[in-house]
Amino acid sequence: MQLTSAEASLVDALLAEAGRQASSDPAVRRADFQTATVTAVGVTPGTVDVGAIRARYLEDTYRNPTVGDSIVLLQSGNGNWLALGRPATAADAIGATRTAIRSADTSRANTATVAADTQIVLPVTAGAVYDLNAVVFYSGASDILLGWSAPAGTAGTWIGLGNGTTLASATGSGGTQLDVSSTAGYTIRTEATDIANTRTYGAISTTKFAVQISGTVRVAATVGNLALAWAQGGSSATATFLYADSWMRLHRVS
C-alpha cells in the first residue's frame, strides 16, 4: 500500500518518538555508561546528583565528590545509577600518588641558604591539597637545614622527626652524651613547622643520619613545583651531603 506524504511523515514521527522513548528506558537500553557533570552532592548521603539523576558513588574510586566534577556514570538494566568517579585527565588526579627519588649523592658547601633540590621535586596543581611524606638521608659536620620550595601562596605544615642541632645520644648505662655517635639511640625533635619555614637537624661528621617527614601541602592559585630545599646548617667549607635514596612522595587528596 502506498502511503501518502502526510501518512509517511506521521510514521517517521512515530518511529522517532519511539526511539527517543526507548533510549531513556533502561529495560530497552540495558546497562550503559556516560560522562556527566555533578550538580549537587549529598542530598541523600553517599550520593551525587547529575541534573535529575541521583547516583550512589563508590567509596574507593570517587573521593571528595565536588559540584562541577566531570564523572563517569554507570546505569544498570533496572535503572539504578552508580557514580564510578572522575576519569583521569592527568598524572596528578585526585587520589594519585607520585614519588621523586634522588638517584645519586650530592653535596653543598659554603652556604646556609636553602635552594631547591634538582631531583626531589614534583609538579603541583593549583588549588590542590596533598599529603606529604619524605625521608632525607644526610651527613655533615655543619648539620643540615631543610625546608621547601613551593609556588607562591602555598600553605601547610610539616614535621621532621630527626636529630636536634645538638645531638643528645644515649649510653648503654642509661646516661646521655652530646654530639657523640651512639648505637643506644638519640633524642628526636618533634616541632611542627610552617611549609614556608625551615628547620635545622644535627649531624656528626660523616655519620649518616635521616629525617622522616610528613605533612600537609595546600597549593593556592599558582601552579609550579614543590621541591625539598636544603643547605648546610651553618656555612662551612666542609660539605654537607644529601644521599641517594632520599625521597619525597605526594598523595593528592583534593
Side-chain angles (χ1 to χ4, degrees):
M1 181 179 66
Q2 184 69 34
L3 297 177
T4 66
S5 176
E7 290 171 333
S9 296
L10 177 59
V11 170
D12 289 342
L14 290 172
L15 289 173
E17 181 61 23
R20 282 191 293 270
Q21 293 296 326
S23 68
S24 62
D25 184 352
V28 176
R29 293 177 60 194
R30 310 309 297 170
D32 189 16
F33 75 91
Q34 59 185 278
T35 58
T37 301
V38 173
T39 56
V41 176
V43 176
T44 299
T47 67
V48 294
D49 289 356
V50 178
I53 295 171
R54 181 158 295 167
R56 186 161 298 281
Y57 60 84
L58 299 181
E59 187 173 273
D60 290 336
T61 62
Y62 189 17
R63 299 177 180 177
N64 302 317
T66 304
V67 172
D69 283 346
S70 177
I71 63 171
V72 176
L73 284 174
L74 177 66
Q75 186 182 32
S76 68
N78 62 9
N80 292 324
W81 292 89
L82 193 64
L84 300 182
R86 307 173 187 86
T89 57
D92 194 28
I94 294 175
T97 299
R98 295 168 297 134
T99 303
I101 303 175
R102 172 151 280 286
S103 61
D105 301 344
T106 189
S107 64
R108 290 177 179 172
N110 299 309
T111 179
T113 301
V114 295
D117 191 74
T118 57
Q119 293 189 340
I120 306 177
V121 55
L122 290 168
V124 291
T125 300
V129 178
Y130 300 90
D131 288 336
L132 166 66
N133 291 280
V135 172
V136 174
F137 301 107
Y138 72 98
S139 71
S142 298
D143 304 333
I144 191 168
L145 179 62
L146 298 179
W148 304 95
S149 173
T154 298
T157 306
W158 63 283
I159 179 173
L161 302 180
N163 297 325
T165 52
T166 301
L167 271 65
S169 62
T171 66
S173 60
T176 59
Q177 53 194 349
L178 298 182
D179 292 328
V180 176
S181 298
S182 173
T183 58
Y186 304 85
T187 58
I188 301 296
R189 70 185 315 169
T190 58
E191 301 96 334
T193 306
D194 189 274
I195 201 73
N197 294 335
T198 58
R199 187 72 65 182
T200 305
Y201 295 89
I204 302 174
S205 188
T206 59
T207 302
K208 184 185 288 188
F209 289 107
V211 180
Q212 184 174 352
I213 296 168
S214 59
T216 301
V217 179
R218 294 177 280 113
V219 184
T222 304
V223 300
N225 293 325
L226 179 74
L228 177 72
W230 64 283
Q232 294 176 288
S235 181
S236 169
T238 303
T240 293
F241 286 83
L242 181 68
Y243 289 106
D245 299 328
S246 298
W247 57 268
M248 172 181 73
R249 181 172 297 141
L250 292 176
H251 173 75
R252 186 175 175 185
V253 297
S254 69

